[in-house]
Amino acid sequence: MNQIFADRFKSARLRSGLSLQDLANRLNNQISKQALHKYEKGAVVPDSERLGLLSTVMNVRPDYFFRETSIQIGDLAYRSLKSIPAKEEYKVIEQTREYLSRYLELEEILGLENKFENPLADFGLVSEYQQVNQAANLLRKKWEIGKDPIYNVAELLEDKFIKVVEIDADTNFNGMQTWVNGSIPVVAFNKNLEGKPDRIRFTLLHELGHLLLNFGNVTENQKEILCHQFAGAILMPEETLKQELGAHRNKLSLQELGNIKKHYGISMQAIVKRALECGIVNDHFAKQFLGMMKEMGWRTLEPVAYEGVEKSNRFDQLIFRGIAEEQISMTKAAALKNMRLAEFHSLSLTLA
């Protein structure tokens, strides 16, 4: 019991991005740093009063500290080439681990299996744009998306047994992908991304590229470019883009780019890059346009917003399904949502 508590305590601390001293400060030194160190080493388990304090500060339920977990996180690959600080990496890992431990427990209770199949498993090596474009078209075909806009990327990935995790992190983290327990694909994004949801959609599909594509002899920077191209090709197939813009253009207007963005959920800058890749515009126009966007301060927050929703409701839906089928109690449902029972009751009434 001591070791389970110690492991879960450390996980909660790292998930919150706190050092032992930070945690002691948040607790107004009602529990000393030395005592917290003993908790983390498994030498002592706190009494109920101190457990309540820890739960409140680290935003978890008391039973969190005694729930065993078997979540093995694989190597993490980040959306940005720049490495993030160790403190932030721990935060990302532990938030992912904690959420998936609840998610997989819920699926186990309901008797659900993870049946992920890589639609590009036999595609071959990817090392250039044309191969990326073909891979994106094949994925759309196998997933029966057609050429239409994707309403909700997060929901689409969850429907295909890819777990989507929202991470509360600093803005130097965009997204990541990994495998859990060796067989469950996971993509994560930073819910604090500015200019979302179009940035979230692009990030999720960029990470999907890392998960599904088998790369040839290319550099890490080239992989990033290929995954950018893959995300753009999924959001905006070449055939569709040429129907919208025409086969060849000398210039494009902000109005038409904004209209496409609102419909397809892809940024104006990504549309222009996509038009360059598809041979619709030339390099001179693309550089000129992107330079103008930078000068106007529109690199992060563009003048036209995409108003779609990027969130998967599958986890919540499974919880309500479990309650309806009497497979889980309201108390267990609250625990799986990492909420106090009163909070969960309020949520249930809101959604009723």
Side-chain angles (χ1 to χ4, degrees):
M1 181 64 73
N2 281 30
Q3 192 54 53
I4 292 173
F5 174 83
D7 292 342
R8 299 293 282 168
F9 172 78
K10 184 175 182 180
S11 175
R13 178 178 67 77
L14 294 174
R15 170 176 171 262
S16 303
L18 301 172
S19 67
L20 287 172
Q21 186 59 61
D22 292 335
L23 182 54
N25 294 340
R26 290 276 186 93
L27 291 161
N28 296 318
N29 291 309
Q30 293 179 75
I31 305 176
S32 68
K33 178 184 175 182
Q34 291 74 20
L36 295 172
H37 179 72
K38 290 180 180 178
Y39 296 165
E40 195 158 296
K41 293 299 180 184
V44 178
V45 174
D47 59 26
S48 58
E49 181 181 351
R50 288 179 174 81
L51 194 64
L53 289 172
L54 293 170
S55 300
T56 300
V57 168
M58 292 193 282
N59 195 31
V60 296
R61 287 169 48 99
D63 63 331
Y64 166 90
F65 295 106
F66 304 99
R67 192 168 68 233
E68 291 190 66
T69 179
S70 58
I71 303 296
Q72 301 299 319
I73 304 289
D75 293 337
L76 272 63
Y78 294 98
R79 165 82 159 76
S80 171
L81 287 176
K82 296 178 181 178
S83 60
I84 66 172
K87 183 178 179 180
E88 281 299 299
E89 183 168 332
Y90 289 141
K91 231 171 124 175
V92 169
I93 292 172
E94 295 307 326
Q95 285 185 40
T96 301
R97 191 193 310 277
E98 195 279 328
Y99 174 70
L100 289 177
S101 69
R102 292 184 281 117
Y103 201 152
L104 298 184
E105 181 183 358
L106 175 60
E107 288 187 328
E108 185 177 351
I109 291 170
L110 298 180
L112 303 178
E113 295 182 48
N114 288 287
K115 300 177 180 178
F116 173 72
E117 294 181 9
N118 183 353
L120 303 178
D122 300 323
F123 185 77
L125 298 180
V126 169
S127 57
E128 59 183 32
Y129 164 71
Q130 288 301 332
Q131 294 166 328
V132 164
N133 208 40
Q134 291 168 11
N137 287 334
L138 178 60
L139 181 137
R140 271 186 166 263
K141 180 179 179 181
K142 288 198 171 184
W143 281 0
E144 300 180 343
I145 305 171
K147 303 295 182 183
D148 297 327
I150 300 173
Y151 171 69
N152 187 326
V153 171
E155 285 280 9
L156 171 66
L157 298 186
E158 289 268 0
D159 287 345
K160 302 302 179 182
F161 302 99
I162 299 170
K163 298 291 183 283
V164 177
V165 182
E166 288 187 18
I167 300 293
D168 184 5
D170 290 345
T171 53
N172 57 0
F173 168 78
N174 288 313
M176 69 87 179
Q177 54 82 23
T178 189
W179 293 84
V180 166
N181 295 350
S183 61
I184 302 170
V186 175
V187 293
F189 68 92
N190 187 350
K191 70 178 185 179
N192 299 314
L193 282 175
E194 295 182 53
K196 57 186 182 182
D198 53 293
R199 283 188 66 194
I200 292 172
R201 290 161 65 80
F202 195 89
T203 294
L204 289 174
L205 292 173
H206 176 101
E207 299 304 333
L208 182 67
H210 280 293
L211 275 176
L212 303 187
L213 298 174
N214 295 309
F215 296 100
N217 186 23
V218 296
T219 66
E220 289 303 313
N221 186 57
Q222 288 171 322
K223 282 184 186 179
E224 292 296 304
I225 293 171
L226 291 168
C227 286
H228 270 40
Q229 293 172 339
F230 181 77
I234 292 291
L235 288 170
M236 199 84 215
E238 184 170 337
E239 181 183 334
T240 302
L241 187 60
K242 287 183 175 179
Q243 287 176 350
E244 294 283 351
L245 296 178
H248 297 288
R249 296 284 298 274
N250 293 321
K251 60 181 180 179
L252 304 170
S253 72
L254 287 173
Q255 290 82 359
E256 62 183 326
L257 292 172
N259 190 54
I260 292 172
K261 174 179 179 175
K262 288 191 289 186
H263 193 52
Y264 288 90
I266 178 172
S267 74
M268 298 162 74
Q269 295 163 91
I271 296 168
V272 170
K273 291 178 182 178
R274 186 89 185 104
L276 175 63
E277 293 161 359
C278 297
I280 297 172
V281 299
N282 60 33
D283 188 60
H284 174 74
F285 172 79
K287 286 181 178 177
Q288 188 180 52
F289 178 87
L290 296 173
M292 179 273 294
M293 294 291 280
K294 183 177 182 180
E295 281 183 27
M296 297 297 293
W298 292 339
R299 286 286 297 274
T300 301
L301 199 59
E302 295 184 340
V304 177
Y306 170 65
E307 298 178 354
V309 176
E310 272 307 323
K311 185 176 179 64
S312 171
N313 294 312
R314 183 173 183 268
F315 179 75
D316 287 350
Q317 191 64 25
L318 291 180
I319 282 182
F320 295 126
R321 170 178 163 181
I323 293 171
E325 294 181 350
E326 299 183 349
Q327 291 179 284
I328 56 175
S329 65
M330 290 291 284
T331 301
K332 182 61 177 177
L336 289 168
K337 279 289 289 179
N338 193 29
M339 288 180 168
R340 291 175 175 82
L341 186 56
E343 291 177 309
F344 184 74
H345 273 299
S346 297
L347 174 66
S348 302
L349 291 173
T350 302
L351 295 175

